[in-house]
Amino acid sequence: MVALVRTVAYLGLEARAVEVQCQLAPGLPGFTVVGLPDKAVNESRQRVQAALTAMGLALPPKRITINMSPADLPKEGSHYDLPIALALLAAMGVIDAEQMGDFLAVGELSLDGRIVGSPGVLLAALHASEHELGLICPAAQGSEASWAAGIPVVAAPDLASLLAHLKGTQALSPPSPGQSAAAMQGPDLRQVKGQETARRALEIAAAGGHNLLMIGPPGAGKSLMASCLPGILPELTPAEALEVSMIASVAGTLEGGRISRARPFRSPHHSASMAAMTGGGLRVRPGEVSMAHLGVLFLDELPEFQRGVLDSLRQPLETGEVTVARANAHVTFPARVQLIAAMNPCRCGHLGDAGLACSRAPRCAGDYQSKVSGPLLDRIDLHVEVEAVRAFDLALPSAAESSAQVAARVNAARRVQTERLHGSRMRSNADLDGESLDRFATPDGEGMKLLIRAAEAMNLTARGYTRIRRVARTIADLAGAQSVSRAHVAEALSYRRQPPRA
């Protein structure tokens, strides 16, 4: 007899169907797992045997073969423990093999028979919903699985409780979806003294989803303004929140099954490796650029990052996804982020201050800024110079406008963009391209003349020309204008700078 239990293999944000097949055959006792398992799956034999022993069950004195089909799909992770144990129990006749055909199972087993959490349960639940199956998962992740509506979820704390439920002797209570996480609280824009130009650029970036680079001396408030950005961004839609939570589920960071409507804000240290930034590792996991999907990726001290790490962001910024290549598979994660970067003008940070600048200026600035490649800078829509804050500015009262007031204008501009782009895959002005760009972001006659003259004078690339039109469209939306005028183009041009030459 061959017993079957369904489970899944994770490939990026895709859950692929896997059948765990168990056969008990006469011969020398043995326990073999086949089907391209990794080390964690091979170790399932010891965990399953120990868990059954803890329940008072012994393995039959037969040749046990576990096959995971399809055999050419790599199997990684400890979530195969539970389906292997259930397939073995079904082959032994302890549970009804036909009953298991209605469920999909994921979960790791401890040596005492407890079912502990494993990454990716939300993806497994959505896969089960698509195939009209129930889901068996750890009790700790029942609330996470319950977000996939319309499927029966059996969330068991241990193997003994699960068997009692399947036999009908003691039913487990169905879990409820986790509570929505509270919105992330950050500093208020009232704390920013002076910096009116930078505040305006931050508002434009938030309204259109544009990338922003702030250049200024240490202590000018660059990091403070970046941390204020989540407070003025609109909340995620329910569909976007689910998309972001799927990434967190695969990464194993979705605590308590709580789904948040707040946009992610990731701020990796400048020592981050390429695998940490774009994803990878022995078992492929999403990197920082994917963990910030539909949110903000803040890179402080931009030139201090390894150049290869920064250049690896060029493709995700353009396409909105990152592909991790492996010999046996290519894994793709979504990575549509809003890049906010900050840097000093030179290594000492005081370029332009006669009392503090080093003797190597301006060559020091050129050498330092050239660590960031021109193609990456070309993908940043807004470049703003942040001036040093004087003691006089700090003594002034707080800014008149709070984050809530700025957020109201940003939300109004985003609503206009949502209505304009309804029915397309684009979410904001930063995504405008092709026909949509020509239809919605073409300046009027005077604005087009100014844009063409500026493009020639500034030697803009085609990408830079396109990004200026997108920014101008956002400025027009903030002003409540139907068309893009010369004034909107002029302001957009003021935030564009030439890449530094080495």
Side-chain angles (χ1 to χ4, degrees):
M1 174 185 175
V2 176
L4 305 178
V5 174
R6 291 184 174 91
T7 186
V8 292
Y10 303 119
L11 201 61
L13 292 191
E14 181 185 0
R16 295 193 179 181
V18 172
E19 271 190 1
V20 176
Q21 307 163 357
C22 178
Q23 182 187 57
L24 304 181
L28 291 175
F31 195 161
T32 306
V33 178
V34 298
L36 213 57
D38 73 343
K39 186 174 179 58
V41 181
N42 268 321
E43 291 172 348
S44 294
R45 296 173 298 174
Q46 284 72 36
R47 290 192 294 270
V48 169
Q49 184 172 2
L52 295 182
T53 301
M55 295 174 55
L57 295 174
L59 294 180
K62 295 184 178 181
R63 189 171 71 243
I64 303 171
T65 302
I66 300 291
N67 177 47
M68 292 185 288
S69 176
D72 60 345
L73 180 66
K75 317 299 187 306
E76 299 178 344
S78 59
H79 67 279
Y80 293 102
D81 288 4
L82 184 57
I84 289 175
L86 291 175
L88 180 55
L89 290 170
M92 293 166 57
V94 178
I95 59 176
D96 185 4
E98 291 186 4
Q99 183 184 14
M100 295 310 303
D102 298 329
F103 288 95
L104 184 150
V106 290
E108 178 184 333
L109 290 177
S110 63
L111 299 182
D112 58 1
R114 287 179 295 112
I115 305 175
V116 298
S118 59
V121 167
L122 180 57
L123 270 69
L126 295 172
H127 179 86
S129 177
E130 291 176 2
H131 293 80
E132 299 181 350
L133 297 171
L135 179 71
I136 300 174
C137 68
Q141 295 177 299
S143 56
E144 177 182 339
S146 296
W147 284 106
I151 64 169
V153 177
V154 179
D158 51 58
L159 201 53
S161 300
L162 176 58
L163 293 185
H165 176 85
L166 294 174
K167 288 178 175 293
T169 59
Q170 187 175 359
L172 294 168
S173 301
S176 301
Q179 298 294 322
S180 297
M184 182 173 54
Q185 298 295 324
D188 195 282
L189 274 173
R190 284 185 183 274
Q191 299 179 27
V192 180
K193 302 292 184 72
Q195 311 298 5
E196 295 303 320
T197 301
R199 283 169 56 97
R200 171 64 174 172
L202 194 71
E203 179 179 342
I204 295 171
H210 302 291
N211 302 326
L212 169 66
L213 172 64
M214 294 178 284
I215 305 175
K222 303 184 296 296
S223 298
L224 174 61
M225 284 186 284
S227 60
C228 291
L229 183 59
I232 64 176
L233 288 172
E235 287 188 341
L236 295 168
T237 65
E240 289 175 336
L242 184 61
E243 190 176 343
V244 170
S245 299
M246 289 168 64
I247 301 174
S249 178
V250 170
T253 60
L254 194 61
E255 298 180 359
R258 292 188 295 271
I259 290 182
S260 176
R261 296 284 295 275
R263 294 185 180 271
F265 183 88
R266 306 290 296 189
S267 179
H269 191 260
H270 58 74
S271 61
S273 65
M274 189 177 300
M277 187 67 72
T278 61
L282 184 61
R283 291 177 56 199
V284 180
R285 287 288 180 264
E288 292 291 335
V289 70
S290 296
M291 296 296 293
H293 178 58
L294 299 181
V296 176
L297 178 65
F298 176 48
L299 302 184
D300 201 4
E301 307 297 344
L302 187 67
E304 300 299 332
F305 285 82
Q306 300 176 41
R307 183 157 187 164
V309 172
L310 291 181
D311 285 342
S312 70
L313 297 176
R314 285 155 56 176
Q315 182 184 4
L317 289 177
E318 200 70 25
T319 64
E321 62 181 23
V322 58
T323 300
V324 181
R326 287 291 183 268
N328 53 7
H330 285 60
V331 180
T332 299
F333 293 105
R336 190 162 296 282
V337 301
Q338 183 175 0
L339 176 65
I340 306 297
M343 60 183 288
N344 297 330
C346 60
R347 181 166 292 279
C348 67
H350 298 286
L351 184 72
D353 189 326
L356 297 173
C358 68
S359 60
R360 294 186 63 243
R363 183 177 178 181
C364 175
D367 292 344
Y368 188 67
Q369 295 185 30
S370 64
K371 293 183 178 181
V372 184
S373 68
L376 178 62
L377 289 174
D378 202 30
R379 287 167 167 82
I380 299 179
D381 310 74
L382 303 163
H383 301 248
V384 61
E385 302 284 344
V386 181
E387 301 295 334
V389 180
R390 301 169 299 170
F392 176 78
D393 295 324
L394 296 175
L396 292 175
S398 298
E401 286 194 319
S402 65
S403 289
Q405 292 171 301
V406 176
R409 292 196 299 269
V410 169
N411 284 327
R414 284 288 185 112
R415 283 194 296 271
V416 171
Q417 295 168 47
T418 299
E419 295 173 2
R420 179 189 298 140
L421 302 174
H422 180 70
S424 70
R425 298 181 61 184
M426 294 176 284
R427 292 183 169 96
S428 64
N429 287 336
D431 301 328
L432 289 175
D433 202 1
E435 182 182 351
S436 298
L437 183 71
D438 293 334
R439 181 180 176 187
F440 301 120
T442 298
D444 59 18
E446 292 299 316
M448 183 58 75
K449 291 179 182 178
L450 174 62
L451 179 57
I452 292 174
R453 289 200 303 269
E456 293 176 350
M458 299 171 67
N459 196 24
L460 293 177
T461 64
R463 181 184 291 114
Y465 175 85
T466 297
R467 291 181 179 272
I468 286 176
R469 291 174 62 184
R470 293 171 178 169
V471 173
R473 178 66 265 179
T474 299
I475 295 171
D477 288 340
L478 284 170
Q482 294 294 326
S483 61
V484 179
S485 69
R486 178 186 175 91
H488 305 141
V489 173
E491 184 175 0
L493 287 167
S494 70
Y495 297 115
R496 196 76 188 175
R497 70 191 282 269
Q498 289 286 72
R501 296 181 179 179

